[in-house]
Amino acid sequence: MNIKEASTQTGVSSAAIRYYEKESLIPPIDRTEVGNRDIDERILRRIRFVTQMRAAGMSIESLRRYIELFDAQEDNTKEQKALLQAQLAVMEEKRDDLQAAIDHLNYKLNHFYDHMVTTEEELRALERQHVDKME
Amino acid sequence: MNIKEASTQTGVSSAAIRYYEKESLIPPIDRTEVGNRDIDERILRRIRFVTQMRAAGMSIESLRRYIELFDAQEDNTKEQKALLQAQLAVMEEKRDDLQAAIDHLNYKLNHFYDHMVTTEEELRALERQHVDKME
DNA sequence: TTAAACCTTAAAGCGCACTTCAAGGCAAGC
DNA sequence: GCTTGCCTTGAAGTGCGCTTTAAGGTTTAA
């Protein structure tokens, strides 16, 4: 499979695939006789893994170190587990921050519906809410 | 409160606070007689709101448009609700992507413990797993 | 044989979100 | 009066993660 096809299959641009290879986020890719990249399923899966971790907010540098450790021949099980757990902790915190922001926006959205209620108390609460609408 | 104190309280650098004001992510800040910023609780809350949304992955530009709409005098309730819902959808998708990546890493972490099991079948499964350790 | 459509590399360019710098002002303490 | 420590502004610089460009090679099809 050429790089164009791999790009289509993964949604990652050809240039980005080359960039990932250069940065060692994916293993060295086999070449055809004339020097063109010949991408197989294994590489595709790696590209998708990189995409997923990038989308999860992992930097190129972290990802490179992470992959380096996992690709190493030596048995780094302990370090690998520690790294996995550290990365998990980072991502879980990120997820929780995101959830907090979602809750915040949901709270604001729910308070829009107050415009439909009419008791005195609710109108006063609404007024207070309106002033601080952004917070 | 001067900008240094506001920076300490929010964990946002003085330069970033100035930048946020320039980009209209926070309202124009009152000045003392000599022209120094005098930051109050309302501004602090805004800075924290901006920080939270930034951490949730919202761009400066999106945030600026969002805040512009919410600060407007006219009653943009419909547009505001639509914007809130759109932003919520983006963030929920982001959260789900993050969760998928977390699940992926957890799966890998759990498979490390297979190194302690010993039945033939499990060893064969482990072998297959080992080859694709990165995926 | 020439154009189209793919590929290669190295290097330069770009947008974002700040950070840092330069040049200067004000207020307090020695 | 001078140093310290805060502040101001505008402009330039920075790091990341690609994208684009330039210059060229190969293959296919008309």
Side-chain angles (χ1 to χ4, degrees):
Chain A
M1 176 189 315
N2 65 19
I3 199 167
K4 186 105 186 292
E5 177 67 11
S7 171
T8 304
Q9 299 255 335
T10 59
V12 175
S13 75
S14 299
I17 293 172
R18 292 193 194 99
Y19 172 72
Y20 288 161
E21 187 188 12
K22 208 170 80 187
E23 294 297 315
S24 306
L25 302 189
I26 53 183
I29 300 172
D30 289 344
R31 304 308 176 106
T32 64
E33 280 170 8
V34 296
N36 291 4
R37 287 175 182 79
D38 186 14
I39 296 175
D40 60 17
E41 264 304 316
R42 175 169 147 269
I43 302 289
L44 280 190
R45 283 196 301 268
R46 278 285 191 110
I47 294 169
R48 294 198 183 100
F49 175 75
V50 168
T51 305
Q52 188 177 37
M53 294 301 146
R54 291 284 306 118
M58 202 169 178
S59 72
I60 297 290
E61 175 59 16
S62 299
L63 202 41
R64 206 186 45 69
R65 274 177 295 157
Y66 176 93
I67 284 170
E68 218 163 61
L69 186 59
F70 275 81
D71 276 352
Q73 282 305 44
E74 322 93 73
D75 188 3
N76 289 312
T77 309
K78 247 189 197 126
E79 288 87 343
Q80 288 176 352
K81 274 170 68 174
L83 187 55
L84 260 173
Q85 272 160 340
Q87 190 55 38
L88 265 169
V90 167
M91 285 162 62
E92 279 166 354
E93 198 190 327
K94 206 157 196 151
R95 178 199 56 197
D96 294 344
D97 287 352
L98 198 44
Q99 188 60 52
I102 288 170
D103 291 345
H104 191 148
L105 291 195
N106 261 319
Y107 171 85
K108 288 167 69 174
L109 191 57
N110 289 333
H111 280 72
F112 271 123
Y113 293 101
D114 288 352
H115 285 292
M116 314 205 164
V117 300
T118 45
T119 68
E120 296 266 293
E121 180 50 41
E122 280 163 338
L123 279 175
R124 257 174 277 126
L126 194 62
E127 182 59 26
R128 286 195 298 275
Q129 205 54 52
H130 188 75
V131 172
D132 281 0
K133 212 162 38 166
M134 285 306 310
E135 292 122 32
Chain B
M1 175 190 316
N2 66 17
I3 199 168
K4 187 106 187 290
E5 177 67 13
S7 171
T8 304
Q9 300 255 334
T10 59
V12 176
S13 77
S14 299
I17 293 172
R18 291 192 195 97
Y19 172 73
Y20 288 162
E21 187 188 12
K22 208 170 83 186
E23 294 297 316
S24 305
L25 301 189
I26 54 182
I29 300 174
D30 289 344
R31 303 309 176 103
T32 64
E33 280 169 7
V34 298
N36 290 5
R37 287 174 182 79
D38 186 14
I39 296 175
D40 60 17
E41 264 305 315
R42 175 169 147 268
I43 302 290
L44 281 190
R45 282 196 301 268
R46 278 285 191 109
I47 294 169
R48 294 199 183 97
F49 175 76
V50 168
T51 305
Q52 186 177 39
M53 293 302 145
R54 291 285 305 117
M58 201 169 178
S59 73
I60 296 291
E61 174 59 16
S62 299
L63 202 41
R64 207 185 45 68
R65 273 177 297 157
Y66 176 95
I67 283 170
E68 216 165 63
L69 187 58
F70 274 82
D71 276 352
Q73 282 306 41
E74 320 95 72
D75 189 3
N76 289 312
T77 310
K78 245 186 199 128
E79 287 88 343
Q80 289 176 351
K81 274 170 69 175
L83 188 56
L84 261 174
Q85 271 160 341
Q87 190 54 37
L88 266 169
V90 167
M91 286 162 62
E92 279 166 354
E93 198 190 326
K94 205 155 198 153
R95 179 200 55 198
D96 293 345
D97 288 352
L98 197 45
Q99 187 60 53
I102 289 170
D103 291 346
H104 191 148
L105 291 195
N106 261 319
Y107 172 85
K108 286 168 69 174
L109 192 57
N110 289 333
H111 280 72
F112 270 121
Y113 293 101
D114 286 354
H115 285 290
M116 315 206 163
V117 301
T118 46
T119 70
E120 295 266 294
E121 181 52 38
E122 281 163 337
L123 279 175
R124 255 175 278 126
L126 194 63
E127 182 59 28
R128 286 196 298 276
Q129 205 57 51
H130 189 75
V131 172
D132 281 358
K133 211 161 43 162
M134 285 305 310
E135 289 122 33

